[in-house]
């Protein structure tokens, strides 16, 4: 059952997928249409999920489910991953590459490969105050309140002295 993401309670579960490059206008429309269709039919053990989605910064696909209504099971989560994988294949994008870290720089997204991150920090290109995206958000409240956070408030804090 598709609902507006704004109508979900703070406790709703979120899954955040980062594309390896920005979606163009046509790709964004395609992702929004396919995501709406997916959310309308997303179920767990035959029960409808109260689900929603949002495309953010032309790079991130957020899927959400109100787990107060029905909890997404392992199988329904697998279904969502298959859906996102298929979207990526259709659009020649990768939504599952966890080797990229995104930073917001002058309203643009700078992606840095994890293997290069430490060097970028050592060179001063990424600072403790550099704004990054909180891909670790588990609930919609975290997404709403802590979507953009300084790198020093993430797992990257270990790289700053």
């Amino acid at each position: 059952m598709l609902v507006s993401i704004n109508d979900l309670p703070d406790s709703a579960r979120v899954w955040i997928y980062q594309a390896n490059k920005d979606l163009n206008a046509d790709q964004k429309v395609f992702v929004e249409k396919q995501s709406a269709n997916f959310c309308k039919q997303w179920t767990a053990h035959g029960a409808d999920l109260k689900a929603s989605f949002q495309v953010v910064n032309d790079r991130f696909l957020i899927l959400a489910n109100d787990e107060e209504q029905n909890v997404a099971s392992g199988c329904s989560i697998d279904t969502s991953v298959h859906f996102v994988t298929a979207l990526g294949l259709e659009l020649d994008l990768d939504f599952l590459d966890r080797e990229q870290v995104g930073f917001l720089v002058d309203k643009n997204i700078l992606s840095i490969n994890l293997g290069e991150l430490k060097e970028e920090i050592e060179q001063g290109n990424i600072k403790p105050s550099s704004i990054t995206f909180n891909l670790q958000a588990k609930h919609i409240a975290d997404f709403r309140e802590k979507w953009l956070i300084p790198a020093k408030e993430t797992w990257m804090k270990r790289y700053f002295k």
Side-chain angles (χ1 to χ4, degrees):
M1 162 187 357
L2 176 63
V3 298
S4 168
I5 201 160
N6 296 325
D7 292 337
L8 292 174
D10 285 345
S11 61
R13 176 88 188 270
V14 294
W15 294 268
I16 301 171
Y17 299 95
Q18 175 179 242
N20 59 327
K21 59 186 176 183
D22 287 348
L23 294 122
N24 64 38
D26 291 338
Q27 291 171 322
K28 184 176 178 181
V29 168
F30 181 81
V31 168
E32 289 172 339
K33 182 179 179 184
Q34 295 301 314
S35 296
N37 289 337
F38 175 76
C39 288
K40 287 175 186 174
Q41 57 81 37
W42 196 14
T43 63
H45 302 291
D48 287 342
L49 296 178
K50 189 175 178 183
S52 192
F53 73 94
Q54 186 173 0
V55 176
V56 181
N57 297 95
D58 295 328
R59 178 75 66 108
F60 303 93
L61 173 60
I62 314 300
L63 293 178
N65 174 52
D66 180 357
E67 295 207 326
E68 292 176 9
Q69 172 137 354
N70 283 312
V71 175
S73 66
C75 292
S76 60
I77 294 169
D78 287 349
T79 300
S80 70
V81 172
H82 291 297
F83 162 70
V84 173
T85 301
L87 266 181
L89 289 172
E90 180 75 23
L91 298 172
D92 195 28
L93 295 170
D94 187 350
F95 284 98
L96 301 172
D97 181 0
R98 297 294 186 195
E99 294 293 312
Q100 298 295 315
V101 181
F103 294 90
L104 189 61
V105 179
D106 298 325
K107 298 184 181 181
N108 294 308
I109 298 174
L110 169 67
S111 291
I112 298 176
N113 186 284
L114 277 177
E116 300 166 359
L117 182 61
K118 191 172 180 182
E119 181 180 333
E120 291 290 325
I121 290 170
E122 288 170 355
Q123 292 177 358
N125 297 328
I126 299 298
K127 299 172 178 43
S129 61
S130 296
I131 299 299
T132 189
F133 301 90
N134 183 10
L135 302 182
Q136 304 301 311
K138 298 290 182 214
H139 297 96
I140 199 93
D142 297 327
F143 170 69
R144 290 174 178 151
E145 298 166 15
K146 300 175 187 172
W147 172 235
L148 299 174
I149 56 176
K152 68 183 175 188
E153 294 180 18
T154 71
W155 57 269
M156 290 178 266
K157 64 185 171 195
R158 66 179 174 245
Y159 294 125
F160 302 109
K161 297 177 182 179

